[in-house]
Amino acid sequence: MVHIRFSRAEFDALEMAARSADMTVSAFVRSLAMEGAGVLPFLAEGDRAVFGLLADGIRAIGGNLNQISRAINTGKVPDEGDLTGSIKDAHGVTTALASELAELTRRAAARRRGEGA
């Protein structure tokens, strides 16, 4: 048994988070503590691989946007296709990232409730 002190505002926020996860406060805190201690992995191996690929995509987009910015700063007009392509790439990667984060959140909530994700 562990005793933890929370301020009233902290405990209210904790109760609300536990309720939204459809869990008791004890089960919610226990699941967070186990993840934080590394006993339960926060990200599965597949999640790490997907987020690694998305991070690579974000780095590549950043490089492209940096080159476009340098061209503009030196008075060169970037090719319209380069601009359009970079914007489409950024949109695609951010959309995929948002989708992966939403799915990760859904699975984590299900796992905390003891459901099969």
Side-chain angles (χ1 to χ4, degrees):
M1 181 173 290
V2 174
H3 297 278
I4 303 171
R5 293 182 193 265
F6 292 101
S7 70
R8 171 50 46 198
E10 290 170 332
F11 190 75
D12 290 346
L14 185 61
E15 280 185 316
M16 188 181 306
R19 197 174 313 115
S20 71
D22 196 27
M23 299 175 72
T24 65
V25 171
S26 293
F28 188 74
V29 170
R30 186 173 27 261
S31 71
L32 292 174
M34 297 300 275
E35 283 180 3
V39 175
L40 297 174
F42 180 72
L43 293 175
E45 190 62 37
D47 294 327
R48 280 192 283 281
V50 168
F51 284 114
L53 291 173
L54 289 170
D56 291 344
I58 290 170
R59 276 190 288 279
I61 291 165
N64 291 345
L65 292 175
N66 191 29
Q67 289 176 355
I68 290 169
S69 296
R70 283 185 183 164
I72 291 170
N73 287 336
T74 60
K76 297 178 184 172
V77 178
D79 180 61
E80 187 175 330
D82 290 341
L83 289 172
T84 303
S86 291
I87 291 168
K88 285 182 180 178
D89 289 347
H91 181 266
V93 170
T94 55
T95 300
L97 180 59
S99 176
E100 287 297 324
L101 288 171
E103 177 60 18
L104 179 66
T105 301
R106 186 198 65 74
R107 286 194 324 262
R111 189 174 64 241
R112 281 195 181 94
R113 289 189 300 270
E115 300 169 2

